[in-house]
Amino acid sequence: MSEIKVPAMGESITEGTVSKWLVKEGDTVNQGDVLLELETDKVNIEISAEESGVLEKIIRQEGDTVEIGETIGTLSAGAGGGSSSAASQPAATEQKQAATPAPEAPTPPPAPVAAGSESSDNGNKTASPSARKLARERGIELDQVQGKDPIGRVYQDDVKTHNTQATAPAALSASKAPAAPSAPTGGSTYTKPVERQRMSRRRATIAKRLVEAQQTAAMLTTFNEVDMTAIMDVRKRRKDKFKEKHEINLGFMSFFTKAVVGALKKFPTINAEIDGEDVVLKKYYDIGIAVSAKEGLVVPVVRDADRLGFAEIERSIADLASKARSNTLALSDLQGGTFTITNGGTFGSLLSTPILNTPQVGILGMHKIQLRPVAIDAERMENRPMMYIALSYDHRIIDGSEAVRFLVTVKELLEDPESLLIEG
């Protein structure tokens, strides 16, 4: 018999959530068959069988939080071919008998809804495995622990700092609190329908990081607008030959990426990050491109964008966007990044304030291209395709004048696309 364990998934990932078991207890599997899907903060992965056999026991159920290296199931080796039905029948019978009560594995860690078998008023309290273990050892009910996580998840440090002496009186006063008033009688009552959905791990992580960005960075946003006439003219004249030669469409993102790289070279502090009391200036240009996927926003990274041509940038972005939408991004696609570009214009946004993708200190927001009357000179007005652009930045290391000049540089490069061949 072999154990099915949670594999290592990169130094920044320490735990995940069992998303879906693709096989049942008693099923025969071959080496390489996918057993389950595991959801992490950044990517979803598939865990495959390392050898052929029969799935004897599922230890951790769908929705359980598991740590790297934890045993989540067992596999009996050697079964296969025609003997699979005979081997799987008793296992299936055992599974059916165990279906009525809650799973009772002899050694598995407790499910993440509570600490051990201790009861609580909040049966859905979410906590890391280490927090549950410590709470069980100290006799603390997790529903009494106040976590610092904005989405309510409890971690080990929250349990360590929990004041156990204050828990008893708090629980006592809660038990004496008057019951909620009942619905008025004498008439028909109507319960409005609601649907409660558990946040995906990715969505919960996004929520946590966005709040952290607003709480830790001195974030400001400056705005400008770009006349897109020249870029649209270049695209109109060159798009057919470009696609014929490079087999990829000439979009707007390559122009914006080139313009951003050119501006970052003039204002290196915006391509930096804060490490304690140090400013880390990055001499490379890995540009994150925000992509809206089914489970939430992800920011895959175009590496060394300063060394890429327009076709290479377009091809990289198209490949990363395709991976994001098919949920096949690797961890390496998401790590790093020195600056981010997000395009709300694809959804019709006319103006917005993007939030920093920490630890980065700058993010550029693109928006919808819209015809607006523009004064050409004192006597002439023309309808021009205009786009508002926004730069959110960390004011701790970036001065307002520097941010404004950076955005003006981006504007000037975009309005003179030929200069991108020189400046970018």
Side-chain angles (χ1 to χ4, degrees), residues 312-377:
E312 293 171 307
I313 293 174
E314 292 289 354
R315 194 174 290 112
S316 296
I317 293 173
D319 180 56
L320 292 169
S322 176
K323 286 183 178 181
R325 295 185 180 107
S326 62
N327 202 25
T328 55
L329 282 170
L331 205 57
S332 58
D333 294 324
L334 300 167
Q335 291 176 329
T338 61
F339 186 91
T340 294
I341 303 174
T342 179
N343 186 4
T346 58
F347 304 103
S349 171
L350 186 62
L351 190 63
S352 66
T353 302
I355 298 178
L356 290 173
N357 181 25
T358 55
Q360 297 172 24
V361 294
I363 179 171
L364 180 75
M366 300 167 55
H367 299 92
K368 180 181 178 180
I369 300 173
Q370 190 175 58
L371 282 174
R372 290 197 292 273
V374 176
I376 305 302
D377 53 37

Side-chain angles (χ1 to χ4, degrees), residues 26-41:
D27 283 356
T28 299
V29 298
N30 295 316
Q31 183 179 10
D33 286 353
V34 179
L35 302 177
L36 71 151
E37 295 176 354
L38 195 70
E39 182 183 4
T40 72
D41 295 348

Side-chain angles (χ1 to χ4, degrees), residues 234-235 238-239 242 248-252 254-255 310 314:
V234 170
R235 291 183 71 241
R238 300 287 186 179
K239 64 178 182 180
F242 186 89
I248 190 73
N249 289 324
L250 178 59
F252 292 109
S254 52
F255 290 94
F310 280 75
E314 292 289 354

Side-chain angles (χ1 to χ4, degrees), residues 33-63:
D33 286 353
V34 179
L35 302 177
L36 71 151
E37 295 176 354
L38 195 70
E39 182 183 4
T40 72
D41 295 348
K42 296 182 178 179
V43 294
N44 290 2
I45 67 166
E46 296 176 339
I47 297 181
S48 303
E50 296 184 355
E51 56 185 293
S52 300
V54 175
L55 182 62
E56 281 203 345
K57 193 166 190 62
I58 293 176
I59 297 176
R60 303 311 302 267
Q61 305 299 319
E62 294 179 4

